[in-house]
Amino acid sequence: EERGATRFRLHTGHRSEGNLRLYRRVGYQPVGTSEGADGVPMIVLEKPAGTYAATA
């Protein structure tokens, strides 16, 4: 059986509106929050690997 990624995940700053627009446009959806090493609140986004692999 072939193994590979099932989804892509990324983090971006909570006030990075340009990044958030771009990531949503290419299929990422917010799934949670985290905190960067410097204490900055981050938005966690994911998308399925097979759906938009060319834009990961």
Side-chain angles (χ1 to χ4, degrees):
E1 189 171 295
E2 192 172 323
R3 299 175 83 185
T6 59
R7 62 185 167 185
F8 297 107
R9 176 180 283 185
L10 58 82
H11 300 89
T12 191
H14 73 288
R15 295 195 301 179
S16 299
E17 292 299 324
N19 291 352
L20 290 166
R21 278 191 302 274
L22 170 66
Y23 299 141
R24 286 183 178 125
R25 189 168 53 240
V26 296
Y28 284 89
Q29 296 296 316
V31 295
T33 59
S34 67
E35 186 173 296
D38 56 359
V40 172
M42 306 292 281
I43 304 294
V44 180
L45 301 106
E46 289 184 353
K47 73 175 180 176
T51 308
Y52 300 97
T55 60

